[in-house]
Amino acid sequence: MLDDSLALLARTPAALDALLRGLPDRWVHHNEGGDTWTAFDIVGHLIFAEHADWMPRARMILDHGESRPFEPFDRFAQFKESQGKTLDQLLDEFALVRKENLAVLRAMNLQPADLDRRGTHPTLGSVTLAQLLSTWAVHDLTHLHQLSRVMSHQYRDAVGPWSAYLGVLHCNGRGG
Amino acid sequence: MLDDSLALLARTPAALDALLRGLPDRWVHHNEGGDTWTAFDIVGHLIFAEHADWMPRARMILDHGESRPFEPFDRFAQFKESQGKTLDQLLDEFALVRKENLAVLRAMNLQPADLDRRGTHPTLGSVTLAQLLSTWAVHDLTHLHQLSRVMSHQYRDAVGPWSAYLGVLHCNGRGG
């Protein structure tokens, strides 16, 4: 299962790059209204998670087990971190930091006994390293899911009566 | 808006290729249970729509206006059409047929008056060419949305308590 996660995690930056690089602003810099996120915000969030979430938490589990809870994750850090950057810069940065993290993860040569080790999530409680790494992969997918919904929202009216057939326009799976 | 649609439509094949090519079977050949679709089925569906849906319907609007309803679209054709093919073959085929269709569409040099022309959808009734072309773009996104949900489903248990935070695992926007 770790190999399956790695295969997916390695592909996400190139998939987002192929989808988003050079796209018109309509798709990249518009959200779903209010304080929701744009495609640009989503890529920034994925970058911040590479720095602050997955690998620091994996290390915390291996070094401290359940004795020290993970640092809480700032879901809004990208609004500051992405300031003044272009989408192309964020796509480059995501590809680089993901590649570095996966190289470190592979070098850890994690064994089944490592994957069963437990840490403490600040709100969810006891979790395993295997669950953390699986969540890393699904976190990519949940933001791909969000991204497709945010982009679709920009054409909500343009599709006219076809709206009834387009599941993405009726999704209530909000949030990351 | 047509330019925005074209920009997105041109990118989807490469995005799916970057995400899916070479992925383990767990992500590609498993569905959400019952008669739901796999990633492989979704790519097959996108190919069939290139042949049978968007361009034939655009031509029907331009040639016959509202006088002749579109042919109904077979949402299950891919189960026969994809038989015996590999995912890599489908990804190649999707890239090729999409490229051909967009070349034909660009060569039509559609003007605002063309985009306002109306056709008859067999169940939705009167629709414009502009709505059809916008729907083509959102159709890509709704299947990207579905794809991310189908793939996430394969890790539904593996993420443990993090399930609560992963919106994709709580999406009810079913269907294409």
Side-chain angles (χ1 to χ4, degrees):
Chain A
M1 183 169 257
L2 179 57
D3 286 345
D4 291 343
S5 301
L6 286 166
L8 178 59
L9 289 165
R11 281 164 174 78
T12 307
L16 291 180
D17 196 286
L19 183 66
L20 297 177
R21 190 179 294 263
L23 264 192
D25 280 359
R26 174 198 292 268
W27 300 119
V28 172
H29 289 294
H30 289 83
N31 66 13
E32 296 173 287
D35 60 356
T36 61
W37 294 5
T38 65
F40 181 85
D41 297 332
I42 291 168
V43 179
H45 167 75
L46 290 170
I47 292 168
F48 189 71
E50 292 297 306
H51 293 301
D53 192 331
W54 314 111
M55 294 302 288
R57 289 179 171 190
R59 285 195 205 92
M60 188 75 89
I61 292 174
L62 293 171
D63 293 347
H64 300 285
E66 293 180 281
S67 67
R68 281 177 56 180
F70 308 144
E71 296 290 328
F73 181 77
D74 180 358
R75 289 185 65 254
F76 302 97
Q78 70 272 13
F79 293 108
K80 197 175 69 180
E81 299 282 333
S82 300
Q83 264 181 11
K85 295 182 184 172
T86 64
L87 177 66
D88 287 5
Q89 286 175 309
L90 294 188
L91 291 167
D92 289 342
E93 195 175 333
F94 181 45
L96 182 66
V97 66
R98 171 61 59 86
K99 193 175 171 184
E100 289 171 351
N101 274 339
L102 296 186
V104 172
L105 183 66
R106 287 195 186 93
M108 285 177 170
N109 191 26
L110 295 170
Q111 302 301 311
D114 299 317
L115 294 169
D116 288 341
R117 295 191 59 181
R118 289 186 168 273
T120 301
H121 185 284
T123 54
L124 297 172
S126 182
V127 290
T128 67
L129 180 55
Q131 289 168 343
L132 174 74
L133 299 177
S134 295
T135 299
W136 189 0
V138 179
H139 184 261
D140 278 8
L141 294 172
T142 205
H143 286 293
L144 190 62
H145 184 257
Q146 176 188 26
L147 179 69
S148 62
R149 196 187 67 226
V150 172
M151 292 172 69
S152 298
H153 183 79
Q154 314 312 320
Y155 267 29
R156 177 171 289 275
D157 297 329
V159 300
W162 266 290
S163 168
Y165 290 174
L166 295 162
V168 66
L169 297 175
H170 307 280
C171 169
N172 73 347
R174 296 287 158 184
Chain B
M1 182 171 258
L2 180 57
D3 286 345
D4 291 343
S5 301
L6 286 167
L8 178 59
L9 289 165
R11 282 166 174 76
T12 307
L16 291 180
D17 196 287
L19 183 66
L20 298 177
R21 191 178 292 264
L23 266 192
D25 280 358
R26 174 198 292 268
W27 301 119
V28 171
H29 290 293
H30 289 83
N31 66 13
E32 296 172 286
D35 60 356
T36 61
W37 295 5
T38 66
F40 181 84
D41 297 331
I42 291 169
V43 179
H45 167 75
L46 289 170
I47 292 169
F48 188 72
E50 292 297 306
H51 293 301
D53 191 330
W54 314 111
M55 294 302 288
R57 290 180 170 192
R59 284 195 205 93
M60 188 74 92
I61 292 174
L62 293 172
D63 294 345
H64 299 284
E66 293 180 281
S67 67
R68 282 177 58 179
F70 308 145
E71 297 289 327
F73 182 77
D74 180 359
R75 290 185 64 254
F76 302 97
Q78 68 273 10
F79 294 108
K80 195 175 71 180
E81 298 283 334
S82 300
Q83 264 180 12
K85 295 182 183 171
T86 65
L87 177 66
D88 287 6
Q89 286 174 308
L90 294 188
L91 290 167
D92 289 341
E93 195 176 335
F94 180 46
L96 182 65
V97 67
R98 172 60 60 85
K99 193 175 170 183
E100 289 172 349
N101 275 340
L102 295 186
V104 171
L105 183 66
R106 287 195 186 92
M108 286 178 170
N109 191 26
L110 295 170
Q111 301 302 310
D114 299 317
L115 295 169
D116 287 342
R117 294 190 63 180
R118 288 185 170 275
T120 300
H121 186 284
T123 53
L124 297 172
S126 181
V127 292
T128 67
L129 180 55
Q131 288 168 344
L132 174 73
L133 299 177
S134 295
T135 299
W136 190 358
V138 179
H139 184 260
D140 278 8
L141 294 172
T142 207
H143 286 292
L144 189 62
H145 185 257
Q146 177 188 25
L147 179 70
S148 62
R149 195 188 66 228
V150 172
M151 292 172 68
S152 298
H153 183 81
Q154 313 313 320
Y155 266 28
R156 178 171 289 275
D157 296 329
V159 300
W162 266 289
S163 169
Y165 289 174
L166 295 162
V168 68
L169 296 175
H170 306 281
C171 170
N172 73 347
R174 296 286 157 184

